[in-house]
Amino acid sequence: MGLCLSRNSTVKKRPTSRRLTNQSAAAVSGGAVNGSNRWSRNRSTKRDDSLIQERALAAAILFQQQLQNGRGGGGAVPFDRSTSLRYPNSNSKKNQPLPRSSSSRARSLTDPLLQPHQLVSNQELKVDDLETNHFVLVHGGGFGAWCWYKTIALLEEAGFKVTAVDLTGSGIHSFDTNSIASLSQYVQPLTDFLEKLADGEKVILVGHDFGGACISFAMELYSFKVSKAVFVAAAMLTSGQSALDIFSQKTDSNDLMRQSQIFIYANGNDKPPTAIDLDKSLLRDLLFNHSPAKDVALASVSMRPIPFSPVLEKLCLSDSKYGSVRRFYIETAEDNAIPIALQQSMISNNPPERVFHLKGADHSPFFSKPQALHRLLVEISTIQST
């Protein structure tokens, strides 16, 4: 597949970095949006003791409900003590044009447990009967496969096969981010994986943040190997668009994003940036405003710079390939990096089959709402063709 725009690699020099105050240059980084005034979110502190209390309360409520339903009888009460709980296959959604589904979960910043009425047995979900039970998780800009650790555990416990990919220069991939000259180079670990799939084998692609552009690229090349595509707070482009085009749509000031960006100039200050880093002191406000402190700490030592060239590339997406894959979008309501208004604008311009809405989720729902995100992914895996 050819790209509408490609960039040539340049000779690498010792990287330099500086903050850029020019608004046009500060339009993008790992799901960055230049221009939104939606930054008046208050952070809530999260402590281990409150988490334990929430879990104990949920267990007590479940125990009491079962007793009231006549299940106690002085005998043992069945109770799944795992903190990684499974979800039912929900078929209650009505078929409507671009239906929007909201998580029915009680709002909890730590998302520790399902409500008692949502606790179910694994036996209610038969993954072997699905078109595919294989999820491929694609991280966003600056992240790595590590960010999916909760989602991986939950899906595997439910019986799914899960692959989380480190894109070039991300996670534990050793390539120098500043030397990435194209989107195809950046996405190569994903396309290599899809290329090696057995004939007839399909997967569900899940892309977060800039990973949405990455899975779109892969869908155009390997549409016959993709059963469904799920965009989680992600860049969902139309043909001829780049991620930069999407994230620079807003004209209002986005002070938090601009303050967070640190542009790296590996080829010299007189050349375009080669990568973008994010100020670690602002990560919580920007990406993890509802995420547990331990996950923010993990991200602060694991995130890497975002390659700049792939963000500039315009995708060529065809109806016969990219357009043949069933697409689903998961909105994150409390997102400070890709605000909900921008998410809905992408949905309106490039409508997917169905839209889901995660209440109380920040830009990183795999941290802030892992159980609710898991439930939606499982639900999407069960949606049959109409």
Side-chain angles (χ1 to χ4, degrees), residues 30-336:
V33 179
N34 180 21
S36 172
N37 56 5
R38 296 168 174 263
W39 309 117
S40 58
R41 309 290 187 191
N42 292 325
R43 297 202 309 270
S44 298
T45 60
K46 293 165 276 293
R47 299 178 180 175
D48 289 344
D49 55 351
S50 63
L51 178 62
I52 294 172
Q53 290 173 2
E54 280 197 47
R55 289 176 173 168
L57 179 60
I61 293 173
L62 175 62
F63 184 87
Q64 186 170 0
Q65 280 190 345
Q66 290 175 321
L67 289 178
Q68 291 173 349
N69 291 335
R71 296 180 185 177
V77 178
F79 179 65
D80 184 352
R81 298 182 182 275
S82 172
T83 58
S84 299
L85 302 171
R86 276 74 61 183
Y87 297 79
N89 171 15
S90 173
N91 293 317
S92 62
K93 307 294 182 184
K94 296 181 180 179
N95 292 326
Q96 298 177 350
L98 286 184
R100 293 177 181 267
S101 303
S102 295
S103 169
S104 59
R105 301 282 319 285
R107 185 160 178 156
S108 169
L109 297 185
T110 51
D111 195 41
L113 282 176
L114 292 175
Q115 292 302 299
H117 69 277
Q118 292 176 298
L119 296 175
V120 297
S121 169
N122 267 345
Q123 296 177 354
E124 296 188 28
L125 176 66
K126 298 180 180 179
V127 297
D128 292 337
D129 294 337
L130 302 175
E131 179 183 9
T132 178
N133 63 2
H134 191 173
F135 280 94
V136 177
L137 310 178
V138 181
H139 62 81
F143 291 85
W146 52 266
C147 73
W148 298 105
Y149 78 94
K150 295 180 181 179
T151 303
I152 294 170
L154 289 167
L155 287 172
E156 288 183 342
E157 280 199 22
F160 288 92
K161 181 179 180 181
V162 187
T163 301
V165 179
D166 271 326
L167 300 178
T168 305
S170 303
I172 62 172
H173 196 284
S174 60
F175 198 83
D176 179 11
T177 303
N178 293 290
S179 299
I180 299 173
S182 67
L183 183 58
S184 61
Q185 183 183 10
Y186 181 58
V187 181
Q188 187 172 350
L190 174 60
T191 53
D192 285 349
F193 172 81
L194 293 173
E195 174 68 27
K196 295 174 183 177
L197 285 177
D199 292 341
E201 184 178 357
K202 291 190 174 185
V203 299
I204 299 174
L205 286 182
V206 180
H208 169 249
D209 184 81
F210 185 54
C214 299
I215 66 172
S216 297
F217 181 94
M219 289 156 63
E220 180 68 17
L221 288 176
Y222 296 100
S223 58
F224 56 96
K225 294 188 176 184
V226 183
S227 171
K228 296 169 184 172
V230 185
F231 293 76
V232 182
M236 188 168 62
L237 312 180
T238 59
S239 187
Q241 281 187 321
S242 68
L244 178 63
D245 295 331
I246 289 291
F247 299 139
S248 62
Q249 283 182 5
K250 300 292 181 179
T251 57
D252 298 334
S253 173
N254 184 339
D255 290 337
L256 181 58
M257 176 53 66
R258 292 171 58 198
Q259 293 172 17
S260 302
Q261 294 172 341
I262 303 173
F263 285 75
I264 300 174
Y265 296 81
N267 299 322
N269 292 337
D270 58 336
K271 300 290 176 39
T274 53
I276 311 168
D277 207 353
L278 296 176
D279 188 330
K280 298 296 188 292
S281 68
L282 299 176
L283 283 181
R284 179 186 288 276
D285 288 339
L286 182 65
L287 304 176
F288 311 113
N289 45 299
H290 284 329
S291 296
K294 291 181 180 179
D295 292 325
V296 180
L298 171 65
S300 68
V301 297
S302 303
M303 294 191 72
R304 296 177 61 181
I306 305 153
F308 194 66
S309 291
V311 174
L312 303 179
E313 291 197 12
K314 297 181 184 292
L315 287 179
C316 292
L317 304 173
S318 65
D319 291 338
S320 60
K321 295 179 180 178
Y322 166 85
S324 68
V325 179
R326 302 173 66 191
R327 288 180 293 116
F328 301 83
Y329 201 99
I330 298 179
E331 297 175 341
T332 45
E334 305 294 329
D335 197 324
N336 282 352

